[in-house]
């Protein structure tokens, strides 16, 4: 779909416009109304359109009008407009346009405005929302005969095409990062495993990202036995992917983002039940967010230093797989008793987190992981769990999360919970209290054992990485949850 921006002009062809609850129309729509016997005002009366959010009104114009098809969408309360709401209005265009093949559409929404927002930014966010919501994954489907389900092109009217294009360029880079995240999550696990995950990401070099890959030998030398132990039952080799984006000042310590990348989680010898096991192809979502975020930041030339690390393994049962009861020594020197091979994400992150803080001395470190089923029980598919050793960091992340509607809910960590992961024969065990009590916190306590004094947060995204129902900016499937919130957090607090 080709998206362009043109200067506001008289309307023709197929048009989508809108109105808020004040029912003020675009000037060009008013002109159209006057030229055509008040057909638009009449339609409002007949069809009960009050500009409320979610309402729409389709008007077929008379044969002699330049406009053939006019659709109005409700903006809702203009005083309550936020960047997020504007993006959602743009996303709403998808349902109108998806089946409208053929002639181009013009989007005429220059009456969408509210104090504090630049016009160009508003129009650019409409296009951004459309882009995010229009993504789909069709790699393995036969091309349909009527493949051309979208209009030929989409043109947004704006008072300032140049400024709008400039704003959209950055948002497009964001969308491309989010699409990479969604693609990696959606790909099946016979296609995406540690080596192929890395292959997909290698061309990020062309954006100026430094790409480094540690193979099993490299990790053995470093003593990463916690991570390696998870992959030892799989035919697929494990990898540690390290991405660096250094575009901030030389003396700025980097922000570190670390992701769990279990490309398929069978549970290992502590094997999972068969039902819905396919969903465990999404167990690399944390890693996918890391690479999507790096792509987005580099794509818009963010003035910041960020390091992204992904621990990539496949968790399989086999004759060489690790057993419940095994003890491994992590890179930090901590020994771990493995009581359940299905609690593998924390083992992968233990070494990835330790390596990252040891090597890069970040000023803040955030990890993302589809870590526990218990967080889905607690928060469902609406919010991700947030665990942190630092109130200021937790607050900033929560605020950024709210701004982009990728919500976080803070969960507890404490000394008392930490006692639950003490082991009888090693320094720690990879399970918490009996019966799975507070098991999301137990997992977080485990991660914290591998974090020193750096401000750190763990986002448990098990419930939000993949959604079974449509979200405002994503159809059901891989949401890309995490990219927008972390980009917002970095842009707000760390970019120079
Ligand atoms: N990858 C799973 C967690 C998960 C569950 C992600 C549902 C997405 C949706 C994780 O590795 C896991 O198996 N966790 C276990 C830990 C338990 C054995 C302590 C769990 O939460 O059941
Ligand atoms: Mn597991
Ligand atoms: Zn897992």
């Amino acid at each position: 779909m080709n998206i362009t921006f043109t200067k506001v002009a008289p309307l023709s062809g197929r048009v989508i416009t809108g109105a808020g609850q004040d029912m003020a129309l675009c000037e060009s729509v008013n002109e159209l109304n006057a030229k055509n016997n008040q057909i638009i005002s009449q339609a409002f009366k007949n069809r009960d359109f009050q500009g409320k959010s979610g309402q729409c009104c389709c008007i077929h114009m008379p044969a002699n009008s330049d406009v053939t098809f006019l659709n109005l969408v409700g903006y809702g309360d203009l005083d309550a407009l936020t960047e997020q709401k504007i993006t959602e209005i743009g996303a709403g265009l998808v349902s109108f346009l998806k089946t409208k093949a053929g002639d181009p559409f013009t989007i005429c929404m220059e009456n969408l405005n509210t104090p504090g927002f630049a016009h160009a930014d508003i129009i650019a966010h409409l296009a951004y929302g459309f882009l995010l919501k229009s993504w789909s994954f069709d790699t393995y489907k036969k091309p349909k005969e009527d493949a051309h389900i979208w209009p030929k092109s989409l043109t947004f009217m704006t008072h300032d095409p140049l400024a709008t294009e400039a704003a959209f360029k950055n948002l497009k880079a964001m969308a491309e990062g989010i699409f990479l995240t969604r693609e990696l999550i959606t790909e099946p696990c016979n296609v995406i495993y540690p080596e192929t995950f890395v292959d997909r990401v290698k061309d990020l070099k062309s954006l100026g990202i430094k790409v480094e890959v540690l193979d099993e030998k490299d990790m053995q030398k470093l003593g990463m036995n916690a991570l390696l132990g998870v992959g030892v039952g799989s035919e697929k080799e494990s990898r540690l992917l390290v991405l660096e984006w250094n575009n901030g000042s030389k003396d700025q310590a980097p922000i570190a983002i670390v992701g769990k990348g279990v490309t398929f989680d069978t549970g290992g010898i502590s094997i999972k039940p068969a039902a819905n096991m396919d969903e465990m192809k999404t167990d690399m979502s944390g890693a996918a967010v890391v690479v999507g975020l790096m792509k987005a930041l580099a794509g818009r030339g963010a003035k910041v230093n960020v390091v992204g690390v992904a621990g990539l393994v496949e968790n399989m049962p086999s004759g060489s797989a690790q057993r419940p009861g095994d003890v491994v020594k992590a890179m930090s020197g901590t020994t771990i008793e493995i009581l359940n091979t299905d609690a593998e994400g924390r083992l992968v992150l233990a070494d990835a987190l330790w390596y990252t803080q040891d090597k890069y001395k970040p000023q803040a470190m955030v990890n993302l992981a589809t870590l526990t089923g218990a967080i889905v029980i607690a928060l469902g598919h609406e919010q991700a769990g947030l665990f942190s050793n630092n109130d200021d960091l937790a607050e900033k992340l929560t605020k950024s999360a709210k701004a982009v509607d990728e919500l976080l809910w803070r969960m507890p960590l404490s000394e008392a919970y930490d006692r639950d992961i003490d082991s009888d024969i090693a320094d720690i065990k990879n399970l918490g209290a009996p019966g799975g009590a507070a098991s999301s916190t137990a997992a977080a306590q485990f991660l914290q054992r591998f974090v020193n004094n750096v401000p750190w947060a763990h986002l448990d995204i098990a419930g939000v990485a993949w959604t079974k129902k449509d979200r405002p900016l994503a159809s059901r499937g891989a949401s890309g949850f995490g990219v927008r919130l972390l980009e917002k957090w970095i842009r707000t607090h760390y970019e120079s």
Side-chain angles (χ1 to χ4, degrees):
M1 163 70 71
N2 193 20
I3 293 177
T4 55
F5 302 98
T6 58
K7 191 130 181 97
V8 172
L11 296 168
S12 66
R14 303 199 286 181
V15 176
I16 299 180
T17 181
Q21 273 161 226
D22 61 359
M23 292 299 282
L25 300 173
C26 291
E27 226 168 273
S28 45
V29 178
N30 272 329
E31 279 167 25
L32 198 66
N33 193 29
K35 257 204 240 165
N36 291 279
N37 267 331
Q38 311 290 317
I39 185 175
I40 299 168
S41 325
Q42 206 52 47
F44 292 156
K45 274 188 212 141
N46 296 342
R47 288 173 218 172
D48 219 15
F49 179 84
Q50 293 116 358
K52 287 187 188 157
S53 176
Q55 284 186 327
C56 66
C57 180
C58 180
I59 301 168
H60 286 273
M61 300 298 291
N64 63 352
S65 167
D66 288 341
V67 173
T68 53
F69 172 95
L70 185 72
N71 204 30
L72 282 104
V73 300
Y75 301 147
D77 180 4
L78 290 172
D79 295 330
L81 267 192
T82 59
E83 211 168 88
Q84 178 62 21
K85 276 270 167 324
I86 296 164
T87 311
E88 287 178 13
I89 292 171
L93 293 171
V94 170
S95 62
F96 289 110
L97 296 173
K98 190 141 196 185
T99 52
K100 306 271 192 306
D103 293 343
F105 261 85
T106 301
I107 311 300
C108 170
M109 292 189 165
E110 67 270 11
N111 61 339
L112 182 62
N113 56 52
T114 194
F117 285 91
H119 171 70
D121 269 345
I122 293 177
I123 303 297
H125 275 85
L126 287 174
Y128 176 50
F130 171 78
L131 206 55
L132 287 181
K133 184 79 185 231
S134 63
W135 182 85
S136 66
F137 185 88
D138 306 318
T139 311
Y140 303 109
K141 286 185 178 163
K142 251 197 216 92
K144 289 201 188 100
E145 271 174 31
D146 58 343
H148 200 71
I149 53 165
W150 296 102
K152 278 183 201 131
S153 67
L154 203 54
T155 300
F156 289 81
M157 284 193 168
T158 164
H159 295 301
D160 190 344
L162 280 181
T164 310
E165 250 154 47
F168 183 61
K169 195 167 160 254
N170 287 337
L171 294 170
K172 203 172 164 198
M174 276 297 291
E176 275 159 11
I178 292 164
F179 294 166
L180 175 61
T181 300
R182 290 179 182 171
E183 173 192 310
L184 286 164
I185 296 173
T186 313
E187 282 282 13
C189 36
N190 59 332
V191 172
I192 288 293
Y193 44 90
E195 287 162 89
T196 52
F197 185 105
V198 164
D199 287 342
R200 283 277 169 109
V201 170
K202 275 194 172 145
D203 63 326
L204 290 183
K205 272 183 201 151
S206 64
L207 293 175
I209 293 174
K210 189 175 150 206
V211 181
E212 193 190 354
V213 182
L214 276 63
D215 63 17
E216 291 192 348
K217 258 201 195 117
D218 299 325
M219 290 190 273
Q220 271 153 13
K221 270 188 223 145
L222 289 164
M224 293 187 164
N225 301 306
L227 184 152
L228 288 167
V230 176
V232 85
S234 168
E235 298 270 315
K236 310 290 188 203
E237 280 200 25
S238 305
R239 293 286 183 267
L240 191 80
L241 173 67
V242 184
L243 305 175
E244 284 181 55
W245 171 249
N246 295 313
N247 198 38
S249 67
K250 280 227 158 57
D251 55 356
Q252 184 191 44
I255 309 300
I257 314 290
V258 180
K260 168 180 173 181
V262 176
T263 58
F264 191 58
D265 180 14
T266 63
I269 295 298
S270 314
I271 199 161
K272 286 180 182 295
N276 304 322
M277 202 202 272
D278 60 289
E279 289 173 12
M280 286 303 116
K281 75 171 183 179
T282 68
D283 212 18
M284 32 56 74
S285 296
V289 171
V290 168
V291 302
L293 174 69
M294 296 301 282
K295 181 171 186 179
L297 291 170
R300 68 165 179 77
K303 296 239 173 303
V304 66
N305 300 329
V306 183
V307 54
V309 175
L312 298 163
V313 301
E314 185 181 54
N315 188 20
M316 295 288 270
S318 77
S320 59
Q322 69 183 353
R323 294 148 290 251
D326 282 4
V327 173
V328 296
K329 188 187 225 169
M331 181 186 173
S332 69
T334 300
T335 54
I336 304 165
E337 184 186 15
I338 291 158
L339 290 180
N340 188 320
T341 63
D342 196 12
E344 85 297 339
R346 65 199 76 181
L347 301 168
V348 173
L349 286 172
D351 282 334
L353 287 166
W354 185 265
Y355 174 82
T356 304
Q357 72 179 353
D358 195 49
K359 177 154 186 204
Y360 292 95
K361 314 273 184 275
Q363 56 174 313
M365 180 159 69
V366 177
N367 74 257
L368 304 104
T370 46
L371 204 61
T372 64
I375 205 70
V376 191
I377 305 294
L379 304 175
H381 305 285
E382 298 302 324
Q383 310 205 10
L386 160 66
F387 300 82
S388 181
N389 62 2
N390 185 291
D391 292 343
D392 181 52
L393 173 62
E395 205 173 295
K396 284 177 172 151
L397 283 168
T398 307
K399 254 192 170 160
S400 299
K402 223 178 216 163
V404 300
D405 195 34
E406 291 186 339
L407 301 178
L408 298 177
W409 190 259
R410 188 151 184 203
M411 303 285 285
L413 290 165
S414 82
E415 194 55 43
Y417 288 121
D418 197 57
R419 294 283 64 74
D420 291 339
I421 60 168
D422 286 338
S423 155
D424 289 338
I425 69 157
D427 296 325
I428 47 174
K429 60 184 185 194
N430 76 335
L431 273 189
S439 86
S440 296
T441 288
Q445 292 294 159
F446 186 99
L447 300 184
Q448 197 178 5
R449 291 283 191 116
F450 298 88
V451 174
N452 291 329
N453 283 325
V454 56
W456 156 79
H458 152 53
L459 312 185
D460 194 335
I461 57 171
V464 294
W466 185 273
T467 68
K468 289 186 181 158
K469 60 175 190 195
D470 286 1
R471 308 282 314 173
L473 303 183
S475 300
R476 75 196 154 80
S479 63
F481 184 107
V483 178
R484 295 172 65 243
L485 107 77
L486 291 177
E487 189 272 346
K488 174 89 182 167
W489 168 69
I490 288 171
R491 180 155 43 96
T492 310
H493 300 290
Y494 300 100
E495 276 191 61
S496 48

